[in-house]
Amino acid sequence: MSVQAVLEEIRERPGTGEVIPIIDPSTEEQITEFTDCGPEAIDAAVARAKASAEAGVWSGLPDYERAKVLWRVADLIDENANILAELESLNAGIPPAQAQIITKVGSEWFRYYAGWCTKIDGIARDVNTGGLTGVDSHMHTYTLREPYGVVGLIFPWNGPVFNFCAKLAPALAAGCSSVVKPAEETPLSALVLDRILAEAGVPEGVVNLVNGYGHTAGAAITAHPDVEKVAFTGSTEVGRAIVHASADSNLNKITLELGGKSPVVMFDDANLDLAIPMASFGTFIHSGQACVCGSRIFAQRGIYEQVVEGIANMANLMQLGGPQDEGAMVGPLISQKQLNRVLGYIDQGKSDGVEIVTGGSRLDRKGYFVHPTVVTNVDPDNSRLFQEEIFGPVVTILPFDDEDEAVALANNSTYGLAATTWTNDLGRAHRIAKRLKAGTVGLNCQMQFDHSMPFGGYKQSGWGYESGKAGIETYLQTKIVWAQM
Ligand code: NAD
C-alpha cells in the first residue's frame, strides 16, 4: 500500500456528515479529506461488533490461536513499518526517525499481548460457609474472566500508531470486539493497521474502524447502549464528557487516560549533565505533545540559575522542522487550533508578567511550529500557564528551598500523570517517589514506559490502568460461580 493509496482510500470511505480536511501540520497544506461517518455508521459498526461477540468468532477461538494472530499482526506491522512511519510523519508531523521507533513500539505491544492470550485465568476456592444459608455449607467457587462484548476505543492525534496498538492489542488479547475511532486530525495510519488486522486473521466484524469528529462519532460510541466499555485516551475535559455520557446511557465501564502537567524536581546534588538534557528532551520532544512531557521544572535555589540557563540553551539547540527537513528533532504542533491555544497561553503569561527566557513565538515559516519556550517568574497559585495543560513546547521553571517545598509545588496541580526527580541521595529519591502524587514517577530518568508495566493517572489524569497485566484486566470482567458440593 502506498501513501497515495491511503490518501485516496480515506477520501472514498462512505459517510453522511461533514467533510473533514486532513492537513499536513508542517506545511499547512491539505493532503486529503474524509466524510464524518454519521450516526447510522456508528449503529452499524456497533451492531457488527455485537454480532461478532455473540457468535464468538474471536472470543471463542482457542487462546493460542488468538495469540498466533496477534503475533502475525506484530510481524505485519514490522513489514509495513516504512509506510506507517511515513504516514505518522505526514499526518502528525513526527520526525521520521522517531516515527520509526513509535512503529516498532506498536508491534512490540502486539507481541507482548499475544503472550497474555494464554494466561488469562481466575481463582478457585473450596469454601465452607458454615451452614449460615441453611443448606450444605460445602461450596466450590471459581471465577471466570470474560471479555466485554463491544468496547469503544477512542484516542487522540498525538501518536496515532502507538495509540491504536496500545488499545487494540490488549482488547483483542482479552477477546473483545470493538468500535475504533482515531482522532479526526490523524486517521490515516489506522487504515493501514485495520488492513493488517484483517490480513493477520482477525475475523470480520471484530474490529470496526469509524472516522469522524469527537462530538459526532465519538459521542455516538460513548452513548451507545450496546457499548459495554469505553477505553479513552485524550483530554480531561472530554474524559469528563464521557463519564456524563455513561451516566446518561447504560453506565458502561470506562477507562480514562487523560491530561497531565508533569513536574520535574531537580535537587542541588543531581547530575545536571544528565538532568538538564533529559529534562529538555522530556519537555520539548514532539513539541510537548506527549501526555507525560514535563511541563513544570523545579530547581533547588543553589542550582536554579544554572538549570534555567541550561534548559534555555537546550531549547535553543532543538532544531525544528518537518519530515523533509534533515536533522529536525522537533516537529510542529498538530493544528491551527493547537497553535492558537499554545500562543494564547504564552500571551496570557506575558500579560500576567512572566519572564520569557527563550522562545515564546511561532517559527517564521509555514507549519504550526512554536519555538521551545522557557518561562520563569510564574505565580504557581494563579497562573494558567502553571496550572493548565498547554500540550505544547512550554515549560515553567521555579526555584525551591527544601524537600517539603519541592513536593508541595510539584503536587500543586489537579493533574497527576507523571513526575520526575533528579537527586543523587538514594533515600531522598525514594522518599520523594512516595510523596509525589502521580501515576508514574521517574527517579533520575524521564519519559520511561514499557508495555510490561502498568500506566495510569492519579487525580484528574485518569481512571484505571492500561499496559502490562493491568492492560488486559481493563478489557475483562469477572464472573463468580458458586457450586453446591
Ligand atoms: P481530545 O480529548 O480532544 O480528543 C481525543 C479523542 O476523543 C479524539 O478522537 C476526539 O475525536 C474524541 N472526542 C472528542 N470529543 C468527544 C466526545 N464528546 N465524546 C467522545 N469522544 C470525543 O484530546 P486531543 O486534543 O485529541 O489530545 C490531547 C489530549 O490527550 C491531552 O490532554 C493529552 O494529555 C491527552 N493524552 C493523554 C494520554 C495518556 O495516556 N494519559 C496520552 C496521550 C494524550
Side-chain angles (χ1 to χ4, degrees):
M1 215 177 177
S2 67
V3 168
Q4 200 49 42
V6 176
L7 298 181
E8 274 157 33
E9 186 178 326
I10 191 108
R11 197 192 289 275
E12 278 154 25
R13 278 174 77 86
T16 57
E18 256 182 69
V19 174
I20 304 173
I22 302 182
I23 310 290
D24 174 348
S26 65
T27 62
E28 302 179 36
E29 303 284 332
Q30 179 171 333
I31 48 176
T32 186
E33 61 190 19
F34 69 99
T35 310
D36 193 317
C37 65
E40 298 82 11
I42 301 295
D43 284 342
V46 174
R48 279 196 304 276
K50 187 177 176 189
S52 76
E54 286 176 351
V57 293
W58 179 247
S59 57
L61 285 184
D63 48 13
Y64 56 85
E65 292 296 347
R66 282 209 313 274
K68 279 192 231 167
V69 172
L70 293 200
W71 199 275
R72 269 202 297 277
V73 172
D75 288 345
L76 287 169
I77 291 175
D78 286 343
E79 280 172 34
N80 288 277
N82 286 343
I83 183 170
L84 285 167
E86 223 178 304
L87 288 169
E88 200 84 336
S89 293
L90 177 68
N91 202 179
I94 298 173
Q98 292 163 29
Q100 287 280 355
I101 294 170
I102 294 168
T103 303
K104 186 75 201 135
V105 171
S107 65
E108 288 308 332
W109 226 268
F110 272 95
R111 283 195 188 91
Y112 174 75
Y113 280 106
W116 270 109
C117 294
T118 50
K119 293 165 195 72
I120 298 169
D121 53 23
I123 57 167
R125 292 202 73 214
D126 284 328
V127 175
N128 182 346
T129 60
L132 292 175
T133 51
V135 290
D136 185 356
S137 56
H138 292 279
M139 300 279 174
H140 178 63
T141 183
Y142 60 93
T143 57
L144 295 173
R145 308 307 315 282
E146 297 181 329
Y148 289 100
V150 182
V151 295
L153 308 176
I154 303 175
F155 41 83
W157 42 262
N158 69 332
V161 171
F162 172 78
N163 285 324
F164 186 103
C165 297
K167 294 246 181 300
L168 257 305
L172 284 169
C176 297
S177 294
S178 59
V179 177
V180 184
K181 194 199 90 61
E184 54 272 29
E185 297 88 347
T186 54
L188 298 179
S189 53
L191 289 185
V192 178
L193 290 164
D194 191 43
R195 192 171 280 213
I196 284 175
L197 295 182
E199 194 181 333
V202 176
E204 213 182 313
V206 173
V207 175
N208 300 275
L209 181 64
V210 295
N211 294 112
Y213 282 124
H215 65 274
T216 53
I221 295 170
T222 57
H224 201 292
D226 288 334
V227 173
E228 293 174 34
K229 155 114 203 181
V230 173
F232 171 77
T233 299
S235 61
T236 296
E237 187 192 348
V238 173
R240 198 168 274 123
I242 286 171
V243 173
H244 283 295
S246 167
D248 291 342
S249 59
N250 62 350
L251 282 181
N252 54 29
K253 311 292 187 289
I254 306 173
T255 308
L256 302 173
E257 296 289 353
L258 305 178
K261 191 76 184 174
S262 300
V264 178
V265 179
M266 291 187 197
F267 287 92
D268 58 12
D269 62 352
N271 176 356
L272 294 186
D273 290 341
L274 198 59
I276 288 174
M278 289 290 288
S280 308
F281 170 85
T283 294
F284 299 124
I285 194 71
H286 200 13
S287 268
Q289 300 171 109
C291 54
V292 288
C293 276
S295 47
R296 297 179 300 140
I297 295 177
F298 303 102
Q300 204 159 11
R301 200 161 303 271
I303 57 167
Y304 175 69
E305 303 294 337
Q306 190 184 349
V307 169
V308 172
E309 193 187 333
I311 300 281
N313 287 343
M314 291 296 300
N316 294 337
L317 283 176
M318 300 224 169
Q319 195 181 325
L320 272 67
Q324 313 307 332
D325 299 309
E326 209 172 313
M329 290 170 67
V330 177
L333 296 169
I334 188 70
S335 61
Q336 182 70 49
K337 184 174 153 210
Q338 193 64 10
L339 178 75
N340 294 345
R341 176 186 158 88
V342 171
L343 294 177
Y345 273 108
I346 293 171
D347 287 345
Q348 167 85 44
K350 284 176 184 164
S351 57
D352 290 348
V354 304
E355 185 187 340
I356 307 286
V357 181
T358 189
S361 60
R362 72 179 294 186
L363 209 59
D364 187 16
R365 60 163 276 184
K366 276 279 187 193
Y368 309 122
F369 296 95
V370 169
H371 287 288
T373 300
V374 176
V375 181
T376 57
N377 196 27
V378 176
D379 174 354
D381 293 318
N382 299 306
S383 168
R384 290 183 56 205
L385 260 184
F386 182 91
Q387 290 289 348
E388 296 177 16
E389 183 185 47
I390 299 174
F391 222 53
V394 181
V395 67
T396 60
I397 311 185
L398 284 177
F400 67 87
D401 287 308
D402 58 24
E403 209 172 295
D404 284 346
E405 193 188 3
V407 169
L409 281 166
N411 287 339
N412 180 2
S413 173
T414 55
Y415 293 106
L417 194 60
T420 294
T421 193
W422 294 90
T423 176
N424 274 339
D425 179 335
L426 187 63
R428 173 156 66 193
H430 291 292
R431 259 193 326 271
I432 296 277
K434 277 178 79 79
R435 295 181 73 188
L436 290 174
K437 293 190 167 55
T440 294
V441 176
L443 303 181
N444 297 319
C445 61
Q446 201 173 330
M447 300 280 283
Q448 303 297 326
F449 67 96
D450 187 74
H451 43 245
S452 64
M453 291 301 288
F455 179 80
Y458 277 27
K459 300 199 265 185
Q460 293 184 32
S461 287
W463 278 5
Y465 292 84
E466 293 195 326
S467 185
K469 184 180 180 194
I472 193 156
E473 302 277 349
T474 291
Y475 296 100
L476 293 166
Q477 45 195 343
T478 303
K479 181 180 285 167
I480 300 98
V481 182
W482 290 84
Q484 178 86 57
M485 297 298 283

